[in-house]
Amino acid sequence: MKGIGLKAKTLLGLSALLLVAIAGILIFTNLLLISDKKAYVFENVLSNAEKVRNLINENIQNSLFQAESLAMLSQNENQNLKTLMDRQELVDGLYFSFSGEANRKTLMKTTFPKNSESYFDFVSNWIEDAKPSNALGVTVKKIPSKNTFELNYRDDQKHLGLLINMDNVWSQISGDTVFSYTVVDGNKRPLWTSGENLNDFPYEDLIQANGASASKEVSIGDEKYLVAVSSLPKLGIHVISYISAKKAYAVVGDLSVKTISFGLVLLGSSLILGLWFSKRLTGPIEALMEGANFVAQGNFDHEVEVRTRDELSVLGTRFNFMSGKIKDLLGEKEIIIEELKEANIKIEDYSKNLEKKVEERTRELKSANDFIQAMIDSLDQGLFVFGPDLKCSPVYTKACETLFRKSPAGLTYNEVLDVPQDQNARIEKWANIMFSEKLPFESAATLGVNEKVYGESIESDDYSMLKLHYHPMRDEEEKISNVVVVATDKTDEMRAIEETRKKERYVEMIFKILATKKQFIEFIGEVDGYIKSLDEVIEAPQPSYDHAMLIYHSFNGGFGMYAVDSLVTEARKCEQTVVDMKKKGVLNHQLLIDQKNAFKESYHRFKQETFDTLGFNSSTVEIDQAILLYINDLVQQTDNRELKHVFNEKIMKVPVEEFFVPYKKLLESLGPKLGKEFAPLVVHNGDLRVDPDSYREFFSLLVHLFRNCADHGIEAPHIREERNKTMEGNIQVHVGVEGEGSRLKLVVEDDGNGIDPARIRKKLQENNPNKSFTEETDQDIIYHIFDQDFSTAEQVTTISGRGVGMSAIKDIVDRMNGQIKLESVVGKGTKFIFDLPISY
């Protein structure tokens, strides 16, 4: 059976190769189009969701700022608030009240862009009927059937309620004809829907706990959608932007059809060209094959004719010459055959030996190279080599890629170290001196780059500092052929030095402040006055350069006296800006305002942190205790009952919240140690004043209660998440007076694990095996936490577990003729209720 001919094989092989190549190109092109389109659509759908989210957030923040400004201006009777209210872009209606005020004040626009009398009536009714929220912070909800948000804001000083016009949000999402939108609140209630409306949209798994935006492809029925979610987690608002994959990829289908059509045309043309080429190629080969057959049959007179002008024609001529030679040498074939056999044997032996030697040498070199490379890569130091032309060798340690943030291979010394362009000539001269040894190598090496710093400053996240050392490599003539650069990472060392310097300066600052406490507080009062003057000077239509320079210079000197380096640096920067503007005669008003505001923010932060740390109070005057007791004796000897009452309440007593300041810091420090998160400690009615001497020991012992609440009460974050609680554990204090002013009631509560009676009963039984606790009720059993040496902790830690603290608290309460009551629900939390007598 005759096989497939050479021509057919050539044609089939060429066709198969073209088919595979074209098919691969078509598939790759189609996948590339889809991938590129998907990335583009994902980017747009995420960008649109974030744009709507930012618009909502911006409306809320701007409205709250406008409302707070109006509320503050309301205290100035000269302000025309109605005119200011009409100028507001977003706030349609507003009511507000300050702490201590019984009545609330209201404001609303007199005209609305909507030009609707019904909307005017709606705003009027809302202002009259709106119920204020008791929750601290910001709460937001949407008014049904209107593009309006109702916002409530409450803190310790004021309460605000306002209506926010959100028409621009609706215009943003309804005007988009490409993407669809759904805006929902934390309870999945839709606030707005635009475009294609999908029920039960599975967006929850895209919502990030930290509020970060996310996008993915989801399937709803047989349809796929590209979805993005961007959230305002504190407000519970989620913006979902989406588009169907069919709509997004419509253009890809048309491009795919055109690409396939082009591929088919290309394949057909290639086949026609291949057919012609195979005929041209196989014709001379067939003639050579025919001549070979004649030679095989012993006919050496046949000549091969090849009518081409390429290598095949030369091959035909050589073939004919070979045939003649073979014919001439047939007479001597026996001798030649023998010689060839012997030569062949020798060649085979030599080849075998040579192959073995090459394999052995190759294995030795590979083993040596692998060992050297492993040693080099194991070094923590960066090591690379460069020659006289400053070109780097391909041999370097892996650490170089991390330290220099690039591979040295193929680069120059200047490129590896990012040498500035104007320094290239100096480096080339340095290399010439070093390689020619015009100076001793050790001396010449010091003239090169000896350290490399990355990042703008040591505080930058991308900061690193490398120390460079140079070592010569010499050839057989003891001349320097290459130089090895050894880079050592000194980043941690430099940061440690900087941190030590900062701590030393901070300690110096604290000592200077404490040494001149009175003068420092007076200085802070002067700075507050300067800050007000600075506001007037900078924000004036024509700022006074000289006055601003004088204030900043005063800040520079004053804070320098107390070693407040951060504020000294900022003051110098601001002063230099004013000097530069004065010299150039160019006013950049906004830059002056921005720098002034930044300095104010840094100053207020420093003031707050310093006063909190050192326990300062600029509104408090210190009085010697002996003098205070002497004045108290004089007051008590008078018959003026009102004077006695006022002196005792305002002078001798202190707000109860002062006793809980250390516990606020305690919770902050315990969080990282326990791997838990705590909300700031809140003390309700903390301004209630008590005699500090009567309760000092009691409040000091409460440290054991707060440690137990943090360690045993509040759960780990993952457990709180499983129980649908906030990630932050909440510990609160409520203070009040009962019994016609004769009893102090103090409640410490947490929203943690609660006290498990079964666990208490089990521990009691383990400690007292001969006693039964089954008859005690669950409510009675939990009071055993106050027993001496009782603890449910598996091991004693520095935080809790010895069973002493709670017993000490009960002991002091008993000695004060007080009472303790426990209320606890497993999995919900615990209340510690203290009833103590009030001392006068």
Side-chain angles (χ1 to χ4, degrees):
M1 181 177 178
K2 189 177 180 180
I4 300 175
L6 180 61
K7 183 187 295 184
K9 289 181 179 178
T10 303
L11 185 59
L12 288 175
L14 183 60
S15 300
L17 182 62
L18 288 171
L19 184 61
V20 171
I22 292 174
I25 292 173
L26 292 177
I27 293 172
F28 175 77
T29 302
N30 191 54
L31 292 176
L32 186 61
L33 287 172
I34 293 175
S35 176
D36 182 67
K37 185 64 176 178
K38 179 182 288 187
Y40 174 77
V41 175
F42 266 127
E43 181 180 356
N44 276 272
V45 75
L46 182 62
S47 174
N48 288 346
E50 291 178 339
K51 187 183 297 182
V52 174
R53 179 204 63 188
N54 292 339
L55 184 57
I56 294 174
N57 188 51
E58 182 179 351
N59 283 1
I60 291 173
Q61 296 298 327
N62 290 342
S63 300
L64 184 58
F65 175 77
Q66 294 171 4
E68 287 184 315
S69 299
L70 289 170
M72 297 302 296
L73 290 172
S74 69
Q75 297 179 340
N76 186 352
E77 297 179 356
N78 296 326
Q79 292 290 337
N80 189 346
L81 296 183
K82 291 185 177 180
T83 301
L84 293 176
M85 184 66 185
D86 282 336
R87 293 177 181 174
Q88 304 304 312
E89 296 178 359
L90 299 173
V91 181
D92 290 336
L94 166 68
Y95 67 84
F96 54 91
S97 61
F98 293 91
S99 298
E101 294 183 356
N103 298 321
R104 67 181 185 183
K105 299 178 182 179
T106 63
L107 289 171
M108 68 174 287
K109 289 183 178 178
T110 57
T111 58
F112 295 96
K114 298 179 180 180
N115 197 21
S116 171
E117 293 183 1
S118 62
Y119 186 79
F120 182 91
D121 296 336
F122 161 74
V123 176
S124 301
N125 293 334
W126 176 84
I127 289 179
E128 295 178 1
D129 301 333
K131 296 180 179 180
S133 171
N134 293 325
L136 292 175
V138 178
T139 56
V140 177
K141 68 177 182 180
K142 182 177 178 293
I143 303 300
S145 73
K146 300 183 184 298
N147 294 325
T148 305
F149 271 4
E150 178 182 354
L151 183 145
N152 273 278
Y153 173 79
R154 179 181 292 277
D155 57 24
D156 295 334
Q157 298 179 348
K158 59 183 176 298
H159 171 249
L160 302 173
L162 56 149
L163 285 180
I164 305 173
N165 185 341
M166 305 294 282
D167 281 345
N168 57 345
V169 177
W170 173 244
S171 298
Q172 175 73 27
I173 63 176
S174 63
D176 193 336
T177 59
V178 177
F179 295 92
S180 301
Y181 298 86
T182 297
V183 182
V184 300
D185 61 16
N187 296 318
K188 292 182 63 176
R189 290 190 296 264
L191 306 181
W192 287 290
T193 299
S194 172
E196 187 176 0
N197 188 6
L198 300 176
N199 296 323
D200 299 326
F201 203 88
Y203 67 90
E204 291 87 345
D205 58 342
L206 288 174
I207 297 176
Q208 306 293 313
N210 60 1
S213 301
S215 61
K216 68 180 293 187
E217 185 178 85
V218 300
S219 298
I220 302 178
D222 297 332
E223 187 70 21
K224 291 186 177 180
Y225 289 83
L226 305 183
V227 184
V229 174
S230 189
S231 305
L232 294 170
K234 292 186 179 179
L235 301 177
I237 295 176
H238 311 289
V239 180
I240 307 110
S241 176
Y242 51 92
I243 185 173
S244 69
K246 184 183 297 181
K247 182 178 179 182
Y249 303 149
V251 69
V252 177
D254 294 337
L255 290 175
S256 298
V257 172
K258 292 180 180 179
T259 304
I260 292 172
S261 300
F262 173 77
L264 293 175
V265 172
L266 180 61
L267 178 61
S269 302
S270 299
L271 289 176
I272 294 172
L273 183 61
L275 182 61
W276 175 83
F277 177 78
S278 64
K279 184 177 180 180
R280 293 283 295 173
L281 178 63
T282 57
I285 294 176
E286 289 175 350
L288 288 170
M289 290 175 62
E290 183 181 9
N293 288 331
F294 281 107
V295 172
Q297 296 171 8
N299 184 357
F300 299 98
D301 296 327
H302 179 77
E303 289 188 359
V304 175
E305 293 183 5
V306 178
R307 299 177 180 178
T308 62
R309 298 180 179 179
D310 52 14
E311 291 82 358
L312 292 175
S313 176
V314 176
L315 183 59
T317 302
R318 294 292 184 183
F319 184 88
N320 292 332
F321 176 78
M322 181 186 67
S323 298
K325 277 289 185 182
I326 293 174
K327 183 178 180 180
D328 294 337
L329 295 173
L330 280 176
E332 303 172 1
K333 65 178 181 180
E334 294 298 332
I335 298 174
I336 295 175
I337 289 173
E338 289 299 327
E339 291 178 351
L340 288 174
K341 287 181 178 179
E342 293 178 1
N344 187 49
I345 292 172
K346 292 180 180 179
I347 291 173
E348 287 180 356
D349 293 338
Y350 179 77
S351 297
K352 290 180 181 178
N353 293 331
L354 181 61
E355 288 176 358
K356 290 180 180 178
K357 291 180 179 179
V358 170
E359 288 177 359
E360 291 175 358
R361 186 59 177 165
T362 302
R363 284 196 296 269
E364 292 174 358
L365 290 174
K366 184 177 184 303
S367 176
N369 287 336
D370 291 343
F371 177 73
I372 293 172
Q373 190 63 44
M375 288 184 61
I376 290 175
D377 290 341
S378 65
L379 296 175
D380 291 334
Q381 291 177 310
L383 184 150
F384 69 92
V385 180
F386 68 91
D389 59 353
L390 296 177
K391 286 289 184 67
C392 296
S393 165
V395 178
Y396 62 91
T397 61
K398 286 291 184 182
C400 286
E401 297 178 359
T402 301
L403 297 178
F404 295 109
R405 307 177 185 186
K406 66 185 71 171
S407 168
L411 302 180
T412 65
Y413 172 90
N414 291 345
E415 291 171 335
V416 173
L417 298 181
D418 300 318
V419 175
Q421 191 72 25
D422 58 354
Q423 294 294 315
N424 286 347
R426 186 186 70 82
I427 295 297
E428 290 173 0
K429 291 181 180 179
W430 165 71
N432 182 45
I433 293 172
M434 187 164 52
F435 280 92
S436 63
E437 296 192 78
K438 296 177 180 179
L439 291 176
F441 180 85
E442 291 73 14
S443 300
T446 60
L447 302 178
V449 179
N450 293 306
E451 65 179 38
K452 174 63 180 173
V453 178
Y454 294 94
E456 293 184 1
S457 66
I458 198 169
E459 287 83 9
S460 303
D461 293 336
D462 61 344
Y463 170 82
S464 65
M465 190 274 191
L466 309 178
K467 284 288 186 180
L468 306 180
H469 298 88
Y470 300 89
H471 304 276
M473 295 177 64
R474 300 183 181 274
D475 56 19
E476 297 177 353
E477 299 179 359
E478 288 300 313
K479 293 183 178 180
I480 299 176
S481 58
N482 291 287
V483 173
V484 179
V485 182
V486 179
T488 305
D489 190 353
K490 295 289 186 178
T491 304
D492 292 340
E493 181 180 333
M494 296 305 296
R495 281 185 165 154
I497 293 173
E498 178 64 16
E499 188 64 25
T500 301
R501 189 194 68 81
K502 286 184 177 180
K503 289 180 179 179
E504 290 175 350
R505 290 291 291 171
Y506 180 78
V507 171
E508 180 183 353
M509 178 189 76
I510 295 299
F511 276 127
K512 286 185 176 182
I513 291 174
L514 292 176
T516 57
K517 177 180 176 181
K518 179 180 179 181
Q519 291 81 358
F520 176 76
I521 294 177
E522 291 175 353
F523 169 68
I524 290 298
E526 294 175 0
V527 172
D528 290 337
Y530 280 136
I531 290 292
K532 293 180 180 179
S533 299
L534 192 62
D535 285 335
E536 298 174 357
V537 170
I538 296 297
E539 297 187 6
Q542 292 295 328
S544 172
Y545 290 125
D546 293 337
H547 197 172
M549 287 168 55
L550 178 60
I551 293 175
Y552 282 130
H553 194 72
S554 299
F555 288 159
N556 184 6
F559 286 113
M561 183 171 60
Y562 293 101
V564 188
D565 293 341
S566 59
L567 293 180
V568 169
T569 301
E570 285 201 49
R572 287 177 179 172
K573 178 181 177 182
C574 295
E575 182 181 1
Q576 188 60 45
T577 300
V578 176
V579 170
D580 292 342
M581 288 186 184
K582 183 178 179 181
K583 287 182 178 179
K584 297 177 181 178
V586 178
L587 172 63
N588 187 339
H589 204 171
Q590 189 59 48
L591 177 59
L592 291 177
I593 294 175
D594 292 343
Q595 287 191 342
K596 180 261 297 182
N597 291 337
F599 181 85
K600 285 176 59 179
E601 183 180 351
S602 300
Y603 163 69
H604 289 306
R605 184 168 57 252
F606 160 78
K607 177 182 176 182
Q608 184 67 40
E609 292 174 354
T610 304
F611 276 42
D612 289 346
T613 301
L614 301 180
F616 289 177
N617 189 335
S618 58
S619 61
T620 302
V621 177
E622 292 187 359
I623 302 177
D624 185 86
Q625 185 178 17
I627 297 175
L628 183 61
L629 293 176
Y630 174 72
I631 296 174
N632 181 49
D633 291 340
L634 294 178
V635 171
Q636 301 306 323
Q637 293 173 11
T638 67
D639 296 329
N640 191 329
R641 297 181 62 185
E642 183 178 358
L643 175 61
K644 290 180 180 180
H645 175 73
V646 171
F647 185 82
N648 287 335
E649 289 295 322
K650 302 300 182 182
I651 304 299
M652 301 304 293
K653 293 184 179 182
V654 297
V656 72
E657 186 168 14
E658 289 187 8
F659 292 103
F660 293 96
V661 172
Y663 300 137
K664 294 181 180 181
K665 296 184 179 296
L666 174 67
L667 293 179
E668 292 177 3
S669 63
L670 288 179
K673 295 180 182 178
L674 297 173
K676 300 178 181 180
E677 299 179 16
F678 300 106
L681 178 64
V682 177
V683 181
H684 300 279
N685 199 24
D687 56 351
L688 180 68
R689 305 179 76 88
V690 297
D691 179 15
D693 294 332
S694 300
Y695 298 98
R696 194 180 310 280
E697 184 179 2
F698 167 73
F699 284 117
S700 296
L701 289 174
L702 286 185
V703 65
H704 304 295
L705 175 58
F706 281 99
R707 285 177 177 268
N708 277 0
C709 289
D711 195 5
H712 303 302
I714 301 300
E715 312 95 320
H718 70 277
I719 297 178
R720 294 184 64 84
E721 186 175 13
E722 293 173 358
R723 294 177 177 176
N724 295 322
K725 297 182 180 181
T726 60
M727 298 296 286
E728 295 181 333
N730 289 280
I731 301 176
Q732 299 188 29
V733 178
H734 300 267
V735 184
V737 175
E738 293 184 349
E740 297 182 354
S742 63
R743 309 292 293 182
L744 175 68
K745 182 178 181 181
L746 186 141
V747 180
V748 179
E749 64 173 323
D750 66 58
D751 65 345
N753 282 309
I755 303 175
D756 187 356
R759 188 178 179 189
I760 302 294
R761 187 175 281 107
K762 179 181 178 182
K763 195 67 177 180
L764 286 169
Q765 198 66 58
E766 291 175 358
N767 296 340
N768 304 274
N770 298 325
K771 186 177 180 180
S772 175
F773 297 93
T774 57
E775 296 182 359
E776 292 189 39
T777 65
D778 287 349
Q779 182 63 29
D780 292 336
I781 208 75
I782 64 176
Y783 279 91
H784 284 282
I785 66 172
F786 297 106
D787 290 355
Q788 180 71 28
D789 299 328
F790 179 81
S791 174
T792 59
E794 297 298 330
Q795 60 182 3
V796 176
T797 68
T798 57
I799 298 174
S800 63
R802 298 186 181 276
V804 177
M806 300 303 290
S807 173
I809 292 176
K810 185 176 186 304
D811 180 65
I812 185 63
V813 171
D814 290 342
R815 284 191 281 117
M816 294 175 68
N817 294 321
Q819 295 180 343
I820 304 176
K821 182 180 179 183
L822 283 178
E823 295 180 3
S824 183
V825 178
V826 177
K828 298 294 184 181
T830 303
K831 286 185 179 181
F832 294 83
I833 304 171
F834 299 93
D835 184 359
L836 304 172
I838 292 181
S839 300
Y840 291 96

